[in-house]
Amino acid sequence: MFFGTFDYIILTVIFLFNIGVWKFKIIKKRNWILYLITFLVFGFLIPGFSIHFEVQKVIKNQPFVDNFTLLYTYFRFPVWWLIGVIEAFILRNLITKRKL
């Protein structure tokens, strides 16, 4: 299982946030702060928490854990980076379509 429970919860929150931006016009204009926050959240914060929760789940279930058991968790960073880039494009399109 590549995504854990935490990842599915965060993806649901992102989906609901996008609906809020689209329907209720939460963000009025786009600027560099929006992209900085997106970069920090999807670049470091979410992948870090995702790896932390996954490691805690694996450690709880196994008495001996070596490095190769948890090697797959490092691939969460590129996956969340890709999701962050997609989210930045979605936010850009949602905000600019509203101006027209």
Side-chain angles (χ1 to χ4, degrees):
M1 182 185 228
F2 194 68
F3 278 142
T5 308
F6 175 78
D7 299 320
Y8 289 124
I9 292 170
I10 293 298
L11 286 173
T12 305
V13 169
I14 292 168
F15 180 72
L16 293 175
F17 177 75
N18 286 339
I19 290 175
V21 168
W22 172 65
K23 193 169 185 178
F24 300 113
K25 299 171 181 61
I26 295 173
I27 300 175
K28 302 292 182 198
K29 63 178 184 172
R30 64 185 168 117
N31 53 14
W32 65 273
I33 295 174
L34 176 68
Y35 293 115
L36 178 67
I37 290 171
T38 303
F39 171 73
L40 292 176
V41 168
F42 286 100
F44 300 108
L45 193 65
I46 293 176
F49 279 122
S50 177
I51 289 174
H52 174 74
F53 288 126
E54 184 69 23
V55 167
Q56 294 301 319
K57 186 177 82 169
V58 169
I59 288 174
K60 182 176 67 172
N61 294 336
Q62 295 179 359
F64 177 73
V65 179
D66 61 349
N67 291 335
F68 291 112
T69 305
L70 299 173
L71 187 62
Y72 71 96
T73 59
Y74 290 113
F75 293 114
R76 292 191 183 209
F77 275 96
V79 169
W80 280 108
W81 292 342
L82 179 66
I83 292 172
V85 168
I86 293 169
E87 177 67 19
F89 283 127
I90 289 173
L91 286 176
R92 186 185 71 187
N93 289 336
L94 287 176
I95 294 169
T96 55
K97 281 185 181 179
R98 206 175 7 165
K99 289 182 179 181
L100 298 176

